Amino acid sequence: MTTLMDDLRYARRAFAKNPGFTALVLATLALGIGSVVAIFSIANGVLLRPLPFRDPDRLVRIGHVRPDTVVARPTFSPQDIEDLKAAHPGLASASAWTYFPGLSTASLTGAGEPERLPAANVDGAFFETLGMPAAAGRFLTADDDREGKNHVAVISTSLWKRRFGGDRSMIGRPLVLDGTPFEVVGVMPPGFEFPSAEVDLWMPLSNLGEDSTPHRREIRWLDVVGRLAPGATLPQARAGIEALYARLAQQYPDSNKGFEHALVVPLATAVTGDVRKPIALLLGAVSLVLLIGCVNVANLLLARASVRRREIAIRAALGAGRGRLVRQLLTESLLLSFTGGLLGLLLARWGIDGLMSFAGGHVPRASGIRMDSGVVLFAVLLSVATGIAFGLLPALAAARGSVRGALEGSGARGGTDSRAARSLRRGLVVGEITLAVALLVGAGLLVRSFWRLTHADPGLRAESVLTLSVVVPSDVYNAEKDGPYRARMLAALRALPGVAAAGLSKTLPLHGGGEPYPVLVEGRPDLEKYKAPGGAIIVSPGYFSALGIPILRGRDFTDSDIETEKTVLLVNRKLARTLWGDADPIGKGLVFGGKQRLEVIGVVGDVRQEGLGQTPFATMYVPMSIFPRGSLKFYLRTQGDPTALAASARAAIHRLDPNQAISDMQPLTEVVAETVAGPRFLTLLVGVFGAAALLLAAIGVYGVISFSVARRTREIGVRIALGADRAAVRRLVLREGMALALSGLALGLVAALALSRVLSSVLFETRTHDPVTLAVVGVLLLLVALLACAIPARRAANLDPQEALRVEV
């Protein structure tokens, strides 16, 4: 311990004498370690931390595997749920819920400003299955999910504090939701984020009657979570559920055929499935940056050890063994890494808030992301590993040197290094260039993919469109089936100055939500129970004009269609081609529910309804007068800035009903931008890490070439004194640096082609071996390397021979 303290004091004094060197090393380590710790904190909170439920490893998400479907949708009908609960294949319990972001809401009135609240409807076994107690009051039970007793609700902690100041007397008091009193029976604890962190209300599933959602076996709108039975395993539960599915497919072939294969995954995997790969990619990218930083620091330490050859030789001559010298040098490295790690922790704490703010609420389980003891322990272990990684090789190289050669050798500026030392430094630079190129290619592929994604044609024109959402109160909806009320709102918004067109739908474009109605296709007996992959989008007249969706053939819905209750619909181009090929679809019929015939009156352009990253699906557009819904999305095409119309639009609706809650009022361009928030987050971070890797590689090339010029000062001076052209000297130095860059580039491109395959699943219309990306990265790397070499080359060419020859030998 005494010698360790001596080593630490000596290291501190040595670093204090070289503040520039010390600052550069600490900055490199702080950025590298801090970045890794920040991303690890996200991974720890999202992926590694157990779900806050009882025995979370026993919870599973249950669904179907559909080979003909590429978009994930809820896969159970109420009848399927009843059969599953009756069979209990490998399950202790199972629970159903439904929640559609942006659609599942309830309007809170009578407690201040009307507000739309995200609401999940759950059955009576939901909280018992999860094993999550309420923070105050109680959770919902099976008795609450019965008609006559189902006007109860559990509220989130955030709503409890935001609207009611955390008042415990709220338990047992009513909330007016959609015009109906609901008794608050409990408050969920902080951090409860299932099925979504946005949910503020949990209400019994039985409140959703046939009018709001069809309760037919072929209409699947429910999700299921289950708890494995004691002793049961995941494969056993999957086998039991598949046996049930097979029986249902035989018993109900019209509705259940094709749903024979079970999807049973751990609930933790289902909750975080969308972000697992992006977080893993970010961890890999930031680890490469840290590795490049370690190589850079190792090169700096090798250069410093070369300058300290005399000092190390004297220590050896005075009796210090090789192990003692290695320990001293490793102590210095560990002191640097611990100090860099401490600074990195501070950077990570600041960086986590910035990362989560930029992520914009698109990271699940975000409340669990924090700098806890596990993250600090990880930072300590990472600092130790980093210190050993960059310090061991220079320490061994320095301790192996010849004592006699070092004592008889030259000084810091005039001497030469051994060939092994020069080769080692150059090899490290080639290695970090290789890693930087691989990371840059990955960043370039993501940038190119993101550019293609954001420039994909959505099938509509989002510019100059204001969108807003309302949910018709249940008392109004039940009294009028929301027809006259909806028509009055739409008419009031159309009449506003500056509105060129107005329409509404149940769902947002680019957010899915098509209802999967099976239809009979007239003239196609082979398609007796056809389901359009894009489902049925429920819209009003003016919808296509407001969104700029072109009418390719036929005509749009009109108000007269609604007033006379004509049974008409429109289809998109893909559905028309799928069902009728090149034949004219106008006048063709689709029969809903085996009895209601709707006639095709028009064909519209294809819209990427499921998101910019999905190709358009075959889709039907049906009038809301035939399929009334209480959740409404309005679209106002304006003649100027859409945000300027927000106040007058809100006032127009409140003139009809002062208690009508309005939410999500924003330009449609922001809605479109939100759909690519995840790819934008991944692309930006990997791009930043790629830029950092490029900068570190440039610093590495600059450092090696500068050190080489400094060590060869006398040699270069002799060359110039003997008549060497200064341009030739410049070319000599440039050639040395560019040889390293070209070697690293060649190896890096090979590594990039191998590593970029892991990106294939997150790329949009971009090949992993995209030639444009590879060419741009190659040219960029060579330009940066040329710039890094130019400064020491210019310094070498401008040497004064007389000054250079005075350098001590």
Side-chain angles (χ1 to χ4, degrees):
M1 183 60 67
T2 300
T3 56
L4 176 61
M5 296 306 298
D6 290 339
D7 289 345
L8 288 172
R9 280 191 291 268
Y10 180 81
R12 181 179 56 82
R13 289 196 303 269
F15 293 140
K17 290 178 181 178
N18 296 277
F21 167 85
T22 305
L24 179 60
V25 170
L26 290 180
T28 301
L29 293 175
L31 287 173
I33 295 175
S35 300
V36 173
V37 171
I39 302 299
F40 175 79
S41 298
I42 297 176
N44 182 57
V46 175
L47 304 180
L48 303 180
R49 193 184 303 277
L51 294 173
F53 307 132
R54 184 184 75 250
D55 298 329
D57 58 317
R58 305 293 294 170
L59 292 172
V60 294
R61 179 80 174 266
I62 305 170
H64 297 85
V65 178
R66 290 293 307 276
D68 59 336
T69 301
V70 295
V71 178
R73 292 191 178 100
T75 53
F76 279 90
S77 65
Q79 292 80 359
D80 287 337
I81 296 292
E82 292 176 4
D83 292 329
L84 178 69
K85 289 186 175 183
H88 277 311
L91 302 173
S93 62
S95 172
W97 86 88
T98 181
Y99 174 72
F100 293 91
L103 294 177
S104 302
T105 60
S107 297
L108 173 64
T109 56
E113 180 73 17
E115 182 181 358
R116 273 188 66 196
L117 301 175
N121 289 86
V122 303
D123 69 14
F126 183 76
F127 294 104
E128 181 182 357
T129 298
L130 293 178
M132 188 70 175
R138 64 175 178 85
F139 50 69
L140 302 178
T141 65
D143 193 50
D144 295 317
D145 199 26
R146 296 191 299 172
E147 291 289 339
K149 295 188 176 183
N150 56 0
H151 285 176
V152 293
V154 175
I155 63 176
S156 67
T157 296
S158 62
L159 176 63
W160 184 41
K161 292 181 178 179
R162 184 179 74 249
R163 292 295 296 253
F164 310 109
D167 184 3
R168 283 188 170 269
S169 67
M170 274 302 300
I171 307 299
R173 287 168 53 185
L175 290 181
V176 180
L177 302 172
D178 293 336
T180 302
F182 278 71
E183 179 188 348
V184 176
V185 297
V187 178
M188 294 310 298
F192 185 82
E193 299 179 355
F194 191 75
S196 168
E198 300 175 351
V199 174
D200 279 322
L201 292 168
W202 290 263
M203 299 185 293
L205 193 61
S206 58
N207 284 289
L208 298 178
E210 181 73 26
D211 287 340
S212 62
T213 307
H215 286 50
R216 300 199 296 271
R217 189 176 286 274
E218 69 269 18
I219 305 297
R220 292 176 165 80
W221 51 279
L222 292 169
D223 287 293
V224 174
V225 61
R227 179 173 290 278
L228 295 176
T233 64
L234 200 66
Q236 290 172 345
R238 184 180 295 112
I241 294 171
E242 285 203 343
L244 169 66
Y245 286 177
R247 177 171 62 81
L248 294 178
Q250 291 181 348
Q251 191 172 355
Y252 308 102
D254 290 345
S255 59
N256 288 63
K257 187 175 181 180
F259 288 86
E260 292 91 346
H261 299 291
L263 175 69
V264 184
V265 296
L267 183 61
T269 301
V271 168
T272 60
D274 291 341
V275 299
R276 282 180 173 270
K277 179 159 284 189
I279 289 178
L281 288 174
L282 288 176
L283 270 177
V286 77
S287 298
L288 282 180
V289 173
L290 178 59
L291 184 56
I292 294 171
C294 288
V295 173
N296 241 344
V297 174
N299 242 332
L300 290 172
L301 291 179
L302 279 171
R304 185 167 179 266
S306 181
V307 174
R308 297 172 63 188
R309 289 172 65 204
R310 275 185 179 274
E311 171 203 334
I312 294 172
I314 291 172
R315 286 173 171 269
L318 293 176
R322 181 171 296 176
R324 182 68 180 85
L325 292 174
V326 169
R327 190 177 74 181
Q328 167 64 45
L329 295 174
L330 268 182
T331 300
E332 295 178 8
S333 300
L334 289 171
L335 178 61
L336 286 172
S337 66
F338 271 115
T339 307
L342 180 61
L343 296 174
L345 268 176
L346 298 177
L347 287 176
R349 185 165 188 174
W350 168 80
I352 290 171
D353 294 335
L355 288 174
M356 299 314 301
S357 174
F358 182 75
H362 292 274
V363 177
R365 306 191 64 202
S367 62
I369 299 173
R370 55 182 176 269
M371 191 76 68
D372 58 14
S373 57
V375 174
V376 173
L377 177 61
F378 172 80
V380 171
L381 296 176
L382 181 63
S383 298
V384 173
T386 300
I388 295 173
F390 71 73
L392 185 60
L393 188 60
L396 292 174
R400 263 201 316 264
S402 168
V403 174
R404 180 175 179 178
L407 292 175
E408 294 177 352
S410 56
R413 287 183 57 84
T416 59
D417 293 327
S418 68
R419 179 176 299 177
R422 290 196 302 271
S423 298
L424 181 57
R425 283 199 298 273
R426 290 170 180 167
L428 288 174
V429 169
V430 170
E432 67 176 306
I433 293 175
T434 299
L435 296 175
V437 168
L439 186 51
L440 277 172
V441 169
L445 290 173
L446 287 173
V447 169
R448 189 160 174 80
S449 170
F450 183 71
W451 187 90
R452 288 178 180 246
L453 181 64
T454 54
H455 286 77
D457 181 12
L460 53 82
R461 292 184 294 112
E463 299 77 14
S464 302
V465 176
L466 179 72
T467 180
L468 59 94
S469 302
V470 304
V471 172
V472 180
S474 58
D475 54 344
V476 176
Y477 181 88
N478 292 330
E480 306 183 1
K481 290 299 182 189
D482 97 311
Y485 182 64
R486 179 188 65 235
R488 290 197 300 271
M489 280 194 292
L490 188 56
L493 293 173
R494 281 176 177 167
L496 291 175
V499 174
L504 63 85
S505 70
K506 176 195 168 187
T507 58
L508 275 173
L510 309 181
H511 285 71
E515 298 187 6
Y517 285 102
V519 297
L520 304 179
V521 183
E522 289 184 349
R524 294 289 305 273
D526 57 316
L527 295 176
E528 184 179 350
K529 285 284 188 178
Y530 176 75
K531 284 186 180 180
I537 307 296
I538 301 172
V539 303
S540 77
Y543 173 82
F544 301 106
S545 298
L547 291 181
I549 301 173
I551 306 292
L552 304 178
R553 184 179 292 181
R555 64 175 179 86
D556 191 359
F557 296 124
T558 64
D559 289 333
S560 64
D561 293 326
I562 308 304
E563 293 165 0
T564 59
E565 297 185 354
K566 288 184 179 179
T567 52
V568 294
L569 84 161
L570 284 85
V571 297
N572 71 343
R573 176 166 45 193
K574 190 159 189 176
L575 180 61
R577 289 179 175 174
T578 300
L579 297 184
W580 300 290
D582 295 330
D584 186 358
I586 305 301
K588 303 291 187 183
L590 299 177
V591 181
F592 284 71
K595 55 184 178 179
Q596 189 170 28
R597 181 184 186 274
L598 273 66
E599 180 179 317
V600 177
I601 61 171
V603 179
V604 301
D606 295 334
V607 177
R608 296 177 185 264
Q609 184 67 28
E610 302 293 342
L612 282 175
Q614 295 285 348
T615 56
F617 291 166
T619 305
M620 303 176 287
Y621 294 91
V622 298
M624 193 167 287
S625 57
I626 301 176
F627 298 89
R629 296 292 181 264
S631 179
L632 308 176
K633 311 288 184 184
F634 287 88
Y635 309 98
L636 310 180
R637 179 162 292 280
T638 67
Q639 297 170 351
D641 180 8
T643 58
L645 201 66
S648 56
R650 187 181 298 274
I653 293 176
H654 282 165
R655 280 194 293 270
L656 294 175
D657 183 357
N659 290 322
Q660 177 63 64
I662 304 170
S663 65
D664 303 326
M665 185 177 287
Q666 58 187 323
L668 189 59
T669 50
E670 294 184 6
V671 175
V672 174
E674 288 174 2
T675 65
V676 295
R680 183 191 301 115
F681 179 65
L682 178 63
T683 301
L684 178 68
L685 284 187
V686 175
V688 169
F689 296 150
L694 181 63
L695 177 62
L696 289 173
I699 291 173
V701 173
Y702 170 80
V704 165
I705 301 304
S706 292
F707 186 76
S708 175
V709 169
R711 299 292 289 173
R712 299 170 64 185
T713 298
R714 185 177 177 84
E715 173 199 336
I716 294 172
V718 171
R719 286 174 179 268
I720 295 175
L722 293 177
D725 183 14
R726 293 183 182 273
V729 173
R730 189 180 297 111
R731 286 195 299 271
L732 176 69
V733 177
L734 287 175
R735 188 162 50 245
E736 180 182 0
M738 295 309 292
L740 298 177
L742 286 170
S743 299
L745 176 60
L747 293 173
L749 290 176
V750 174
L753 291 175
L755 293 176
S756 60
R757 293 178 183 176
V758 303
L759 294 174
S760 58
S761 62
V762 297
L763 296 179
F764 175 74
E765 295 182 356
T766 303
R767 293 179 297 172
T768 56
H769 53 283
D770 179 58
V772 174
T773 301
L774 298 178
V776 169
V777 169
V779 171
L780 179 62
L781 188 281
L782 292 178
L783 287 176
V784 171
L786 184 62
L787 180 63
C789 296
I791 299 174
R794 182 174 179 274
R795 187 187 308 131
N798 292 335
L799 277 176
D800 183 347
Q802 293 184 6
E803 293 295 328
L805 292 173
R806 291 195 185 102
V807 174
E808 289 186 5
V809 179

